[in-house]
Each structure stands twice: as structure tokens, then as C-alpha cells.
Amino acid sequence: MSMIKIENLYRSFDGNEVFRGISLEVMKGEVLALIGRSGCGKSVLLKHVAGLMKPEKGRVVVNGREMDVAKGRSLTALRDRLGFLFQGGALFDSMNVFENVAFPLKEKTKLSDRRIQARVLEELDNVGLSGSEYKYPSQISGGMVKRAALARALVGDPEIMLFDEPTTGLDPVTGHDIIKLIDSCHWRLHFTGIIVTHEISTVFTIVDRVAMLHEGVVWADGTPSELFSSKDPIVRAFVGESGSGEGEGGMHEKV
Amino acid sequence: MKCACDRYIFKSDTHTIISMRYLKTECGKSPGICGDSDPITAYISLLSRFFLTSRACSAKLTPMFFIKRFSTTQPLNHSAISAIRRSGAFTLEYVRRMGIMGLFLVKAVLFMVIPPIKFNRFLKQIRFIGLQSVVLILLTGGFTGMVLGFQGFYSLSKFGSDAFLGPMVGLALIKELGPVLSALMVTGRAGSAITAEIGIMRMSEQIDALELMGLNPYRYLVVPNLLAAMICLPLLTAIFDVVGIFGGYLIGGKLLGVGAGTYFGEMASYVEMQDIMEGFYKSLSFGVIITWVCCFKGYYAGIFTGFGSEGVSKATTQAVVLSSVLILVWDYFMTSILF
Ligand SMILES: Nc1ncnc2c1ncn2[C@@H]1O[C@H](COP(=O)(O)OP(=O)(O)OP(=O)(O)O)[C@@H](O)[C@H]1O
Ligand SMILES: [Mg+2]
């Protein structure tokens, strides 16, 4: 069953055609890596999936509901099951880290304060932020903002997770930990996910499929090993050098 | 359309029909015999093209049209059309924005009357808009009253009626200066901060994050401000009026020698409840105007004013200017209605 389905999506910004017919499908429980050059529209695509932007043409269907016509209750119901990690974190800067992570629980659930506190502290510990709970977003580093935002996205146990560059700006060790964290969350929650990333070598080890955006269309789509063995020059340029050496089995192949 | 001359024909058919016989194109043939069709078919196709082109059909075929058309090989005056088109697009865009702005207020009021109100944020905004403006209001109110004391005394003593200083200061403050000046002060102090805060939240996708949690940004960002301003502005205006009246007394009574009994007694007999209500209604509506404009500008920063810190600063400037202007314009209408 497909959880996220994008059909023939068109979108342009002031004459700049970002999408020229994107079609993409993500099955329930599947994790997809979305790759592509900077500025090719990966973040914009995630925003279309979340219903923050409306397509000019085409459809976005999430869990059987059309995102672009969903309104009011049904949209809220959809979004309650959705977690989104923004590229810039988007932490509320008037709240400290703890309040930020606790905010969705406080506003959306009827959990007691003690349960919320336990849950939030656990999640912050998972992302390696224990000790910085009471700092404000402006007082912590960019990588810490990212991790706090990740904790906030994961704290509601979402069924669909959209990660916009979860590891960018992190050192390799923390980045690796975050990818492992996402993977273990996936095993626990079985969410359907899209991970936008530039770090092919680590992310490809935990995803089921990879889609590559190029020139406004899905240029390549397949399992990580299929992409590594692709002969398409553009795909090769992207995954060729950075990917070889680790990860999936099917990649030590003809150059 | 294989040869350059054919492209030429296509570009300015009407011109070509008339002068086809004299025209030599780049390939040296006359355009009619260009390509593989004979002159007569070419001529007919040209004619039909002439009558089918939208520009030829839509324009009236008056002599003036032909003169204009043939005096130049350029298509019909391009710059004029694009100027009209641009001004049309500009107007449409502004009408659209005004519509969005109106809708913004409607939504804000709607979410204000439908229950769940974010009480914490509401209290926080009361503190910010109300409490933290008090010193500013005391200061400006006091000095405004003192100036009124001087100026009023100067004018009134020319007619020998300086006993009426009290009612003059009182009425000027309660009906006009109190509501307007405190609204302008709040715009400058709190309004600009509201726009900047919401604008930065928009830029850093915090509003999107709120929306994605299934929470209504109006409830969190707009309604608390609206309610707080509607409560705080009348109160701040009242403080402004009282301090101003005492400021006037300080100058008129203590310095220039109008007696306290005269000052306050005449004021009490000339200022009516209706005047006080006028000031109250004004300050209430100014509260709505300030939060409406400032929240709107912040909320649509990035969409209407460009991105980044420049977008926020532009939005803040526009918010302060627009709400100040709206306050004065609306004040005129309120006065003329309540007069
Ligand atoms: N709100 C917007 N208004 C106008 N143009 C936009 C807007 N958002 C994105 N764009 C344009 O859409 C294109 C895609 O942007 P997007 O942020 O999706 O890139 P990206 O693939 O996420 O890049 P990166 O890897 O650098 O994050 C860019 O050319 C950008 O200029
Ligand atoms: Mg991006």
C-alpha cells in the first residue's frame, strides 16, 4: 500500500520551473532517500508532501487523502501523524530546548506533566542533548539545533517522517549516531519516511530506496545498489565517487 | 517557413501585403514566390493570415490604424501596451493583497470568539503591550498635558477666558490626543516588535512548524495580541488622559495661576460621558488596527516583502507606517461619525 504518492507534480516560482512532472511513490513502512543537487527542489518537495505548499498541477496523496485539497479537521488529522524535520530546525526561539520538544506533547496530547517530562528527557538523551535542556535555540550550536529539532519531530511517534538533511552540519560521529537513531526509530515505529540527504554513504545503508531529483523530474529511482551500479552519467557523478567503499553490496562494480 | 524571407512575412504580414511587390528579402526573391507555392496562393494565405491575426481583427481598421501600422515595421506600440498591462497587474495585485488583509482580520476575529484561547500567551502579550508601555505613556502623556497647559493658556488668555483651560485640556486629551498619541506610541513600541517577531518566525519556518503540528498559528500568534491590545489600549489611553490632565494642571494651575477649583470644576461640568465614550471607542478600534496591521505584515513577511532580514525590516517599517496612517485616517472617520 502506498503511503505517499506524488503524481505528475508541477511547480514554479516566478517563472523558475522547479518541478516539471514529478511522480514518486513511497510504500507504507518504506524509507526513501531523496538526493539531488543543491537547489533542485528537495525541500520544496517535502513541503508539498506536508501540505505546506500547493502544487500548480498534479496531485499529492498521503495516506489516501489528497494533501492539496485537505482542509480543517482532515488536514489536522493527517498532520498529527506526520513528523517534519526542517532544514533549518525551525525551533521556537522564545522557548528553551526542553519546552520546544515538550510543546507538541503539551498542546496535542493529554499526558500528565510528569509523563511528558520523562518522554522529553528520554528523547533528548537519544539525540545526545541531555545537559542542554534549558538552553535557548540561540545559545546552542547549529548541530545541536538540528538534534533538538529531530527530537521534537520524533517525540510524537509519527507514522510518516520527513527529514530535511538530518545530518548536514554535524560532525561525522554525531551524524552517524543520528542516522543510527533514525534507523532504530524506524524499527520501533515502522514509520514511512523520506530522508533528504547529501551524505550518501551513511544514509544509503538504512534506506530501502533512493530517488534522485534532476531537472525537475525524478531522474533515477531504485534501491541503493541499483543506483550505485547505474550507468547514467548524472547518477554516476552523484553517487559514484562518494559511495564507493562502504555500504551496500552491489556497489563494487564497473565504473 | 523554411527561409528567412518567410519569417519576415510572418512577422509583419500587413506591411508585406501592401508592399509585397516592391519588397526584396534576404534571399533575393519577392516574398510571394518564396517557398514552393505560387504567387496567388501565397497572396491568399497572406490575406487570410492578415484577417486572422488577433491584432488585426481586434483593432478597428480605420485610416489611422493603417497609418500607424505602416509608418513603422514595429508591432503596435509595445511600450504603451506593456505600461497599461503593468499598471493593471499592479492594481490587481494590490486589490488582492487588500483582500488577503481583510480576510486576515476576519479570521483573527473568528478565532478570537471561538473558545480555546492560549491564555499564557495572552498574559504575556498583556505584559508586553500593556505593562511595559506604561512608563512611555506616563512620560508622553505628562508632557503632552503640560504643552497643552501652556498653549491652551496662551490662546485662551487672548480671549480672556483662561478659566476654561480645564475643559480645553480635558476635551482635547480625552477626545483626541489621548487615544491617538497612545496608539501611535504603542505602534512604535509594541507594534514594530510584534511584526519583527512574527516575521522572523515566518522566515525561520517556525510558523510552518506550528502548522505542521496541527496547531493554528492564528491562535498562537494573532489572537493573543489582538485581545491584549483591545484590553490594554483603552487602559493606556486612560492613563495618558489622567496624566495629561494633571500635567496641564501643573502648568496652568501651579505655574500660570489658574485655580485648582476652576480647572477641575469647569472640566467636570463641560466633559460629558459621551466624550469619554468617544475616546474609549477610538482607543479600542486603534488596538484592533495596530494588531491587525502589525500581525498581518509579520505573517506575510517573506511572501510580500522579500526574504531574510531585509524582508523583516521592510515588513516592520511598512507595519509602523501603515498602522500610523490608518490610525489617523480612521480617527478622522470616527470623529466625523461620533461628532
Ligand atoms: N518560497 C520560495 N519562493 C521562491 N522560490 C523558492 C521558494 N522556495 C524555494 N524556492 C526555489 O526553489 C528551488 C528549490 O529550492 P529547495 O530549497 O527545495 O532546494 P534544495 O533542493 O532543498 O536545496 P538544498 O540542498 O540546498 O537544501 C530553488 O531554486 C529556490 O530558489
Ligand atoms: Mg533543502
Side-chain angles (χ1 to χ4, degrees):
Chain A
M1 184 194 138
S2 82
M3 196 69 165
I4 301 168
K5 193 169 181 185
I6 301 164
E7 286 174 1
N8 205 23
L9 180 69
Y10 280 80
R11 175 75 201 226
S12 60
F13 293 101
D14 321 310
N16 165 21
E17 276 193 320
V18 181
F19 298 149
R20 304 187 188 121
I22 296 243
S23 294
L24 191 65
E25 202 170 354
V26 188
M27 297 298 159
K28 192 170 165 56
E30 194 180 34
V31 178
L32 176 98
L34 191 62
I35 60 173
R37 301 276 290 272
S38 183
C40 72
K42 303 181 294 295
S43 305
V44 172
L45 189 64
L46 286 197
K47 283 181 185 166
H48 276 88
V49 173
L52 286 174
M53 289 182 176
K54 306 276 177 226
E56 270 156 18
K57 223 168 85 185
R59 298 199 314 159
V60 178
V61 182
V62 177
N63 199 13
R65 289 226 187 84
E66 276 198 52
M67 224 41 194
D68 45 314
V69 292
K71 267 205 177 112
R73 285 256 165 82
S74 66
L75 186 63
T76 311
L78 262 176
R79 281 175 171 171
D80 282 348
R81 304 156 70 185
L82 190 113
F84 197 112
L85 172 67
F86 283 90
Q87 191 167 2
L91 291 182
F92 301 121
D93 42 24
S94 57
M95 302 178 191
N96 63 30
V97 170
F98 180 89
E99 287 167 335
N100 258 294
V101 180
F103 187 73
L105 294 179
K106 272 203 182 121
E107 298 292 330
K108 302 296 294 187
T109 67
K110 293 197 169 62
L111 292 178
S112 68
D113 278 0
R114 188 178 296 166
R115 293 275 296 280
I116 290 179
Q117 178 162 13
R119 181 82 187 79
V120 171
L121 291 181
E122 180 201 332
E123 202 62 62
L124 283 176
D125 191 40
N126 279 343
V127 296
L129 273 185
S130 39
S132 314
E133 293 97 340
Y134 300 106
K135 289 189 179 142
Y136 281 84
S138 53
Q139 298 170 322
I140 56 179
S141 75
M144 287 159 91
V145 167
K146 200 111 236 194
R147 283 183 280 159
L150 184 66
R152 188 179 69 181
L154 288 172
V155 79
D157 293 345
E159 289 171 41
I160 302 169
M161 267 304 311
L162 308 172
F163 303 93
D164 201 341
E165 311 201 358
T167 54
T168 310
L170 299 179
D171 63 280
V173 178
T174 320
H176 203 252
D177 287 349
I178 293 293
I179 292 297
K180 274 200 297 198
L181 173 73
I182 292 176
D183 198 33
S184 69
C185 279
H186 180 233
W187 283 111
R188 185 158 54 87
L189 302 169
H190 300 291
F191 56 66
T192 310
I194 300 181
I195 307 180
V196 171
T197 189
H198 295 298
E199 271 153 58
I200 285 154
S201 53
T202 46
V203 173
F204 276 25
T205 58
I206 67 158
V207 298
D208 305 304
R209 254 174 60 220
V210 181
M212 180 173 164
L213 292 189
H214 186 68
E215 306 213 310
V217 296
V218 176
W219 189 268
D221 181 1
T223 63
S225 51
E226 277 171 359
L227 248 81
F228 278 127
S229 57
S230 163
K231 289 203 192 74
D232 186 286
I234 292 163
V235 177
R236 283 231 61 80
F238 216 88
V239 299
E241 302 88 52
S242 59
S244 50
E246 46 183 310
E248 296 266 328
M251 50 199 256
H252 301 288
E253 289 185 6
K254 57 252 158 190
V255 181
Chain B
M1 261 154 267
K2 287 163 202 152
C3 112
C5 59
D6 201 348
R7 230 181 296 137
Y8 186 68
I9 292 170
F10 198 74
K11 258 188 192 163
S12 55
D13 356 10
T14 44
H15 185 140
T16 324
I17 292 168
I18 310 299
S19 55
M20 193 165 66
R21 288 172 56 197
Y22 311 104
L23 204 74
K24 288 274 184 255
T25 48
E26 288 165 47
C27 60
K29 297 178 205 155
S30 105
I33 21 179
C34 177
D36 38 23
S37 53
D38 59 300
I40 299 181
T41 5
Y43 194 80
I44 289 171
S45 84
L46 264 179
L47 265 183
S48 61
R49 240 193 255 161
F50 169 66
F51 284 110
L52 285 178
T53 39
S54 57
R55 203 180 293 138
C57 289
S58 62
K60 286 198 187 107
L61 296 177
T62 54
M64 201 52 207
F65 169 75
F66 282 96
I67 291 167
K68 267 197 192 153
R69 196 75 185 85
F70 300 130
S71 58
T72 164
T73 47
Q74 291 284 316
L76 190 66
N77 206 341
H78 230 265
S79 60
I81 286 183
S82 71
I84 293 170
R85 191 176 288 156
R86 249 183 290 130
S87 67
F90 183 81
T91 316
L92 274 182
E93 176 64 19
Y94 267 80
V95 170
R96 194 175 75 91
R97 284 188 191 185
M98 275 159 68
I100 293 174
M101 197 169 155
L103 229 73
F104 187 85
L105 181 65
V106 170
K107 274 193 200 162
V109 171
L110 206 72
F111 290 124
M112 187 174 73
V113 293
I114 302 173
I117 282 170
K118 302 297 157 191
F119 205 68
N120 281 348
R121 273 201 72 92
F122 167 61
L123 286 184
K124 203 177 145 203
Q125 290 317 103
I126 288 243
R127 183 186 146 85
F128 177 65
I129 300 175
L131 193 65
Q132 294 181 357
S133 302
V134 168
V135 176
L136 181 71
I137 292 294
L138 287 177
L139 213 67
T140 47
F143 277 98
T144 307
M146 278 149 65
V147 165
L148 275 179
F150 271 124
Q151 300 286 26
F153 188 84
Y154 176 77
S155 313
L156 289 173
S157 61
K158 289 201 164 178
F159 313 111
S161 47
D162 40 329
F164 292 112
L165 184 67
M168 201 226 107
V169 171
L171 283 176
L173 277 171
I174 289 168
K175 282 166 76 87
E176 209 55 57
L177 293 176
V180 171
L181 286 183
S182 42
L184 292 179
M185 288 300 142
V186 171
T187 304
R189 207 197 74 82
S192 58
I194 289 171
T195 307
E197 187 191 353
I198 297 181
I200 288 170
M201 288 185 77
R202 165 65 73 197
M203 296 297 170
S204 55
E205 298 176 317
Q206 293 174 50
I207 295 182
D208 289 339
L210 259 183
E211 245 177 88
L212 272 185
M213 291 174 186
L215 303 172
N216 186 333
Y218 284 85
R219 284 202 196 288
Y220 285 84
L221 304 175
V222 185
V223 172
N225 281 320
L226 188 60
L227 269 181
M230 283 171 71
I231 289 174
C232 291
L233 264 179
L235 291 175
L236 289 173
T237 305
I239 295 175
F240 191 100
D241 292 347
V242 170
V243 176
I245 286 168
F246 276 100
Y249 172 67
L250 199 70
I251 300 302
K254 294 283 174 205
L255 203 69
L256 303 173
V258 180
T262 327
Y263 186 86
F264 290 109
E266 294 291 340
M267 191 186 293
S269 54
Y270 280 100
V271 177
E272 287 161 28
M273 196 58 201
Q274 202 193 333
D275 303 322
I276 295 174
M277 287 318 282
E278 182 181 335
F280 174 73
Y281 293 138
K282 278 185 178 175
S283 59
L284 199 66
S285 58
F286 293 158
V288 176
I289 289 177
I290 294 170
T291 32
W292 174 33
V293 173
C294 293
C295 290
F296 172 79
K297 285 288 178 188
Y299 201 82
Y300 285 94
I303 299 168
F304 289 162
T305 52
F307 291 93
S309 42
E310 200 191 327
V312 175
S313 77
K314 238 186 189 169
T316 312
T317 314
Q318 286 180 6
V320 171
V321 171
L322 183 61
S323 51
S324 306
V325 170
L326 274 185
I327 284 168
L328 293 173
V329 171
W330 182 244
D331 180 50
Y332 168 78
F333 284 110
M334 288 285 276
T335 310
S336 60
I337 289 167
L338 297 171
F339 191 66

